[in-house]
Amino acid sequence: MLGAIEAGGTKFVCAVGDESGNIVNRVQIPTTVPGETMPRVIEFFKQYQIDAIGIGSFGPIDVNRDSPTYGSITSTPKTAWRDYPFVQTVKDSFAIPIGFHTDVNAAALGEATLGAAKGLDSCLYITVGTGIGAGAVVQGMLLQGMTHPEMGHILVRRHPNDLYKGKCPYHYDCLEGLAAGPAVEERWGERGVNLVGREEVWEMEGYYLAQALMHYILILSPKKIILGGGVMNQKHVFTSIYKYLPELIHGYVSLPELSDYIVSPGLGDAAGITGALILAQQAKGHGTGTLSQ
Amino acid sequence: MLGAIEAGGTKFVCAVGDESGNIVNRVQIPTTVPGETMPRVIEFFKQYQIDAIGIGSFGPIDVNRDSPTYGSITSTPKTAWRDYPFVQTVKDSFAIPIGFHTDVNAAALGEATLGAAKGLDSCLYITVGTGIGAGAVVQGMLLQGMTHPEMGHILVRRHPNDLYKGKCPYHYDCLEGLAAGPAVEERWGERGVNLVGREEVWEMEGYYLAQALMHYILILSPKKIILGGGVMNQKHVFTSIYKYLPELIHGYVSLPELSDYIVSPGLGDAAGITGALILAQQAKGHGTGTLSQ
């Protein structure tokens, strides 16, 4: 049996299951402070005989195995979790292999293994919700270099009708600052769910996301792009992306049929927790992180 | 003995040597039309007993081994070379393994193996010259997905003092359209070599390149960034990048000391041809493309 944790900013999803994504049991635990949340996480897994645990965590996190702070959450604005030794805490209760990556890299792994990019050695998973983050599988491995990607904060050019200042505390009007859920809400004065019929809202959203996708395509050349997160439940955003992306690329790179190339998660909301199960399996097998093809 | 071809838009560099970058002989052959250039390339290698040939080619090229046009140059504006079956032509004369990648991916491989990123499993190599291109090594492998990267055409925000329209035939004012050598020359009315003392020229150049580096860092997180090509001989550009990049990133990602992180090629002008020798060695060893660490 494998354990999986999808650690998000508002809730932890914990599950036990297998590497094929079959889940035997799952619970949600609110993300409050480590001293409250983590004992409940540990207690959940203590009920089972598990061989490994995979963690997909909100970030930024330290994924460099050579680093003294490997396995920690680092400079998060959630101060209670800053510099929190996540992997070590789990290891203190369970002497088993632990896999650890970002939540979005876990989701990319889930989608590449069992979801919309199943059978491909390359995909990009983007979530557009409270923030914007992305993970990627490149030649069968989770993308990682000096650290994990932080793709949500790239710069975009402003839509000519957009006077909103932007919401990112670091960059104001980077992609996340202009296109994440809280920016949409502040710009238009309503929550996204109340803006469903407002075409200009989703047209602008697609305008920004298409620029981001152009950059991701030119830099990473993913074989499949998967867009998840609450904002992407507004299907008009896909329509706007399909319109703007070819205008931007302008024939420079030949793209597959867009409705087949840029898609919703095949695993729905379960991409992250499924990816965490696969991270557990890889940790158990002393895996290199390479997908079995 | 290994053969190496660095196929550029104006010249082909051909060399014979070993995988440690030792070059026994090298020649330059002008890039005219395939019927002229290629017989001279073949003739050069016929003088030697070679075990494999590595090719780093101008692009775009087809690097997908499952494609029927694998090994071809594809949609290049150099019409004589469009759809040219490069690998097949070489194979017709030499029944030996052939390695094939972009010129910039070859240079990245050279730098990661024997140059400024020696010992690292991750680096980004960018050339800023007649065009802007980049290659990358990610977790020991040359970056490749649906196809090779085309990082030179990402969008940047305009410098407030820049009224130049941009030179890219696809996107006008993308990075290459604003910051490659021909754009610098057209904007300022002089060749770069005649603009050495004009601080505003190189300040603006660094402004654009810093934006590009921000995107590459947020998306790929390379462990080392190497900037080559004719424009980068103007060392003021590095100074401008070191100034703008931290302003842009604004503390969101912690960067190493910039003068150590963003550097000139360790192999100088030989990065590409050295990388092509290593591509030959990998082809010979039926290599997976993974760097030996």
Side-chain angles (χ1 to χ4, degrees):
Chain A
M1 185 103 78
L2 301 170
I5 304 172
E6 186 184 13
T10 55
K11 65 176 189 290
F12 276 45
V13 178
C14 299
V16 288
D18 66 23
E19 72 276 18
S20 301
N22 301 306
I23 289 175
V24 173
N25 193 12
R26 66 187 273 168
V27 292
Q28 292 193 9
I29 297 164
T31 309
T32 57
V33 296
E36 263 177 25
T37 303
M38 290 306 293
R40 296 186 57 189
V41 169
I42 304 293
E43 185 188 11
F44 170 74
F45 289 114
K46 283 281 188 199
Q47 305 171 78
Y48 302 93
Q49 196 71 33
I50 47 178
D51 303 318
I53 295 177
I55 303 169
S57 176
F58 70 92
I61 60 176
D62 186 345
V63 291
N64 174 6
R65 288 183 173 273
D66 299 329
S67 159
T69 55
Y70 169 76
S72 296
I73 296 173
T74 60
S75 58
T76 172
K78 299 179 77 69
T79 50
W81 293 86
R82 197 169 288 172
D83 301 321
Y84 181 69
F86 199 156
V87 168
Q88 192 56 51
T89 305
V90 177
K91 264 194 183 300
D92 287 347
S93 293
F94 302 95
I96 55 177
I98 312 287
F100 185 63
H101 242 290
T102 57
D103 44 5
V104 278
N105 256 350
L109 181 61
E111 288 290 326
T113 312
L114 297 165
K118 186 175 173 178
L120 300 179
D121 65 353
S122 153
C123 78
L124 178 69
Y125 176 91
I126 306 159
T127 180
V128 188
T130 315
I132 298 181
V137 171
V138 174
Q139 295 182 85
M141 293 190 293
L142 284 176
L143 178 58
Q144 181 179 337
M146 188 169 64
T147 179
H148 54 78
E150 287 286 358
M151 302 192 204
H153 290 260
I154 64 169
L155 301 178
V156 287
R157 292 177 178 177
R158 278 179 167 278
H159 190 287
N161 299 336
D162 190 11
L163 301 173
Y164 174 60
K165 68 183 186 308
K167 208 174 172 60
C168 173
Y170 293 90
H171 316 113
Y172 299 101
D173 58 358
C174 67
L175 176 68
E176 180 170 297
L178 291 174
V184 173
E185 184 176 336
E186 192 169 85
R187 177 191 292 113
W188 302 99
E190 296 257 24
R191 297 200 57 206
V193 288
N194 299 324
L195 294 165
V196 174
R198 298 274 297 277
E199 202 177 316
E200 70 275 27
V201 173
W202 312 113
E203 190 267 351
M204 187 181 284
E205 185 71 11
Y207 178 87
Y208 290 128
L209 290 173
Q211 287 185 55
L213 295 196
M214 176 185 184
H215 288 163
Y216 303 151
I217 290 167
L218 292 175
I219 295 171
L220 285 173
S221 192
K223 292 183 181 172
K224 187 78 85 172
I225 296 175
I226 297 144
L227 279 162
V231 172
M232 296 312 298
N233 290 328
Q234 306 299 329
K235 297 303 170 195
H236 300 321
V237 182
F238 281 94
T239 312
S240 178
I241 291 171
Y242 296 156
K243 177 183 122 193
Y244 281 117
L245 183 62
E247 290 180 12
L248 288 167
I249 300 253
H250 209 253
Y252 187 69
V253 173
S254 69
L255 296 176
E257 174 63 36
L258 293 185
S259 60
D260 185 54
Y261 182 50
I262 300 167
V263 299
S264 295
L267 301 171
D269 293 342
I273 197 73
T274 304
L277 282 169
I278 299 162
L279 281 175
Q281 175 68 14
Q282 290 182 348
K284 182 182 161 194
H286 314 285
T288 59
T290 304
L291 292 180
S292 52
Q293 288 299 305
Chain B
M1 184 102 81
L2 301 170
I5 303 172
E6 186 184 14
T10 56
K11 65 176 189 290
F12 276 45
V13 178
C14 300
V16 287
D18 66 23
E19 72 276 18
S20 303
N22 301 305
I23 288 174
V24 173
N25 193 13
R26 65 187 274 168
V27 293
Q28 291 193 8
I29 297 165
T31 310
T32 58
V33 296
E36 263 177 25
T37 303
M38 290 306 293
R40 296 185 57 189
V41 169
I42 303 294
E43 185 187 12
F44 170 74
F45 289 115
K46 285 281 186 200
Q47 305 170 77
Y48 302 93
Q49 196 70 32
I50 47 178
D51 303 317
I53 295 177
I55 303 169
S57 176
F58 70 92
I61 60 177
D62 186 346
V63 291
N64 174 7
R65 288 184 173 272
D66 299 328
S67 160
T69 54
Y70 169 76
S72 296
I73 296 174
T74 60
S75 58
T76 172
K78 299 179 77 69
T79 50
W81 293 86
R82 197 169 287 173
D83 300 320
Y84 181 69
F86 199 156
V87 168
Q88 192 55 52
T89 305
V90 176
K91 265 194 183 297
D92 287 346
S93 292
F94 301 95
I96 54 177
I98 312 288
F100 185 63
H101 241 292
T102 57
D103 45 4
V104 278
N105 255 351
L109 181 61
E111 288 290 325
T113 313
L114 297 165
K118 187 174 172 178
L120 300 179
D121 65 354
S122 154
C123 78
L124 178 69
Y125 175 91
I126 306 159
T127 179
V128 188
T130 316
I132 298 181
V137 171
V138 174
Q139 295 183 87
M141 292 189 293
L142 284 176
L143 179 57
Q144 183 180 335
M146 188 170 62
T147 180
H148 53 79
E150 287 287 358
M151 302 192 204
H153 291 261
I154 64 169
L155 302 178
V156 286
R157 291 179 179 175
R158 277 179 169 279
H159 189 288
N161 299 336
D162 189 11
L163 301 173
Y164 174 60
K165 69 182 185 306
K167 209 174 172 61
C168 174
Y170 294 90
H171 315 113
Y172 300 100
D173 58 358
C174 67
L175 176 69
E176 180 170 296
L178 291 173
V184 174
E185 186 175 335
E186 192 170 85
R187 177 191 293 111
W188 302 100
E190 295 256 22
R191 297 199 55 206
V193 288
N194 299 324
L195 295 164
V196 175
R198 298 274 296 279
E199 202 178 314
E200 69 276 26
V201 173
W202 312 113
E203 190 266 352
M204 186 180 286
E205 185 70 11
Y207 179 87
Y208 289 128
L209 291 173
Q211 287 185 56
L213 295 195
M214 177 184 184
H215 288 163
Y216 304 151
I217 290 167
L218 292 175
I219 294 171
L220 285 173
S221 193
K223 292 183 181 173
K224 187 78 85 173
I225 295 175
I226 298 145
L227 280 161
V231 172
M232 297 311 300
N233 290 328
Q234 307 299 328
K235 297 303 171 195
H236 300 322
V237 182
F238 282 94
T239 312
S240 178
I241 291 171
Y242 297 156
K243 176 182 123 193
Y244 281 117
L245 183 61
E247 289 180 13
L248 288 167
I249 300 255
H250 208 251
Y252 187 70
V253 173
S254 70
L255 297 176
E257 173 64 36
L258 292 186
S259 60
D260 185 53
Y261 182 51
I262 300 166
V263 300
S264 295
L267 300 171
D269 293 340
I273 196 73
T274 304
L277 282 169
I278 298 162
L279 281 176
Q281 175 68 14
Q282 290 183 348
K284 183 181 161 195
H286 314 286
T288 59
T290 304
L291 291 179
S292 51
Q293 289 300 303

